[in-house]
Amino acid sequence: MSKKTQHWIIAAAVGCYFIFLVGMIWYFNRDTGESATQTDATAIDVAGSDSNSADDSEIEMSEDFATLLENGLIVQFEGNSLIFPCDYTDVLNEDDGWEVHGNGLYDSAVSFGQDSLGYEVLLYMPAEGTGDFDTLESNGCSGIGISLLDGKDVTVDTAPMFTISWITWGDSKEDIVSAFGEPGYTNEIADDSGDVLYTYLLYQAEYEGRTYTMEFVTETGIGVVSMNFYYVE
């Protein structure tokens, strides 16, 4: 066996071990319920994380949310009112410099960004897609989400205009409950001393054959830092 072949075998073995190690770390930490740190909080993105995810049996459907949907709940992004499903050009335009940054936590969610921005926009599609503008054009958008928890230099004061009904950046948990009633699922993320750092609130409702979901993350002392709205057939 040549030295070159030996080097390739060793490199492959190291690569496989690294993948295995990362997988084991994910497996043992995916649902441990351990307290979060500032770094851990970056895992709480607009689509929710494993630590936030609830079984369907844990989620109570929200009558208040359903009523808002019936009355025409309004989602706005940068001055545009969005009614889903909508054309992706109602949200983002490729000519403005938006580009694919990666898939979201779901096959039907794709994140888009601009190099000059400190945030990304997560767009949902009714069907699984390839994660590009062409797929969005053919399927339409079934939801939108933005998170400020990715460690970039953007705050509730500098974030883009984004509202779900009348909830926006910096609003409190109490503001959300006042607007939509009690959530169907709540999860609090605490530090090692037991102080709550983040609160995750989830709302779900059935409307016209679809399951609509709203997700919010509030940071203690700051308010809403992540918002998500989407539906599935």
Side-chain angles (χ1 to χ4, degrees), residues 145-156:
I146 303 175
S147 175
L148 310 181
L149 286 171
D150 55 9
K152 296 180 180 178
D153 188 20
V154 61
T155 69
V156 295

Side-chain angles (χ1 to χ4, degrees), residues 103-117:
N103 290 332
L105 295 181
Y106 308 123
D107 290 336
S108 57
V110 184
S111 62
F112 294 83
Q114 295 186 39
D115 292 339
S116 60
L117 299 180

Side-chain angles (χ1 to χ4, degrees), residues 40-77:
D40 295 331
T42 61
I44 309 173
D45 70 11
V46 290
S49 68
D50 284 338
S51 62
N52 286 328
S53 299
D55 295 332
D56 290 341
S57 60
E58 295 181 274
I59 302 173
E60 296 182 6
M61 291 294 178
S62 169
E63 294 183 3
D64 291 340
F65 183 21
T67 299
L68 284 170
L69 290 169
E70 292 173 1
N71 293 335
L73 181 147
I74 298 175
V75 177
Q76 290 190 319
F77 173 65

Side-chain angles (χ1 to χ4, degrees), residues 9-227:
I9 292 174
I10 293 172
V14 172
C16 290
Y17 176 75
F18 177 76
I19 294 172
F20 170 79
L21 182 62
V22 171
M24 292 300 291
I25 293 173
W26 172 85
Y27 179 83
F28 285 109
N29 288 280
R30 73 193 194 287
D31 245 335
T32 60
E34 294 177 350
S35 298
T37 63
Q38 184 69 26
T39 301
D40 295 331
T42 61
I44 309 173
D45 70 11
V46 290
S49 68
D50 284 338
S51 62
N52 286 328
S53 299
D55 295 332
D56 290 341
S57 60
E58 295 181 274
I59 302 173
E60 296 182 6
M61 291 294 178
S62 169
E63 294 183 3
D64 291 340
F65 183 21
T67 299
L68 284 170
L69 290 169
E70 292 173 1
N71 293 335
L73 181 147
I74 298 175
V75 177
Q76 290 190 319
F77 173 65
E78 295 286 48
N80 296 319
S81 295
L82 308 176
I83 300 176
F84 298 100
C86 67
D87 190 272
Y88 78 94
T89 56
D90 294 336
V91 189
L92 305 177
N93 194 317
E94 191 172 11
D95 295 336
D96 293 334
W98 291 96
E99 58 184 13
V100 176
H101 277 196
N103 290 332
L105 295 181
Y106 308 123
D107 290 336
S108 57
V110 184
S111 62
F112 294 83
Q114 295 186 39
D115 292 339
S116 60
L117 299 180
Y119 65 92
E120 294 181 351
V121 176
L122 194 69
L123 296 184
Y124 290 87
M125 294 168 284
E128 182 176 338
T130 59
D132 54 29
F133 278 100
D134 292 337
T135 302
L136 287 170
E137 187 172 16
S138 61
N139 288 333
C141 299
S142 57
I144 181 174
I146 303 175
S147 175
L148 310 181
L149 286 171
D150 55 9
K152 296 180 180 178
D153 188 20
V154 61
T155 69
V156 295
D157 296 320
T158 60
M161 193 281 279
F162 183 39
T163 62
I164 301 177
S165 190
W166 52 86
I167 296 300
T168 189
W169 307 117
D171 287 344
S172 67
K173 173 185 175 181
E174 290 72 25
D175 292 329
I176 297 171
V177 173
S178 176
F180 304 118
E182 291 295 330
Y185 176 78
T186 303
N187 186 29
E188 293 183 338
I189 311 298
D191 61 17
D192 293 336
S193 63
D195 295 328
V196 175
L197 298 175
Y198 299 93
T199 302
Y200 169 79
L201 303 93
L202 181 148
Y203 292 83
Q204 272 191 354
E206 300 287 344
Y207 179 64
E208 294 187 344
R210 296 168 175 164
T211 300
Y212 284 82
T213 300
M214 290 189 303
E215 296 169 306
F216 300 93
V217 176
T218 63
E219 184 173 352
T220 300
I222 294 178
V224 172
V225 290
S226 177
M227 291 183 280

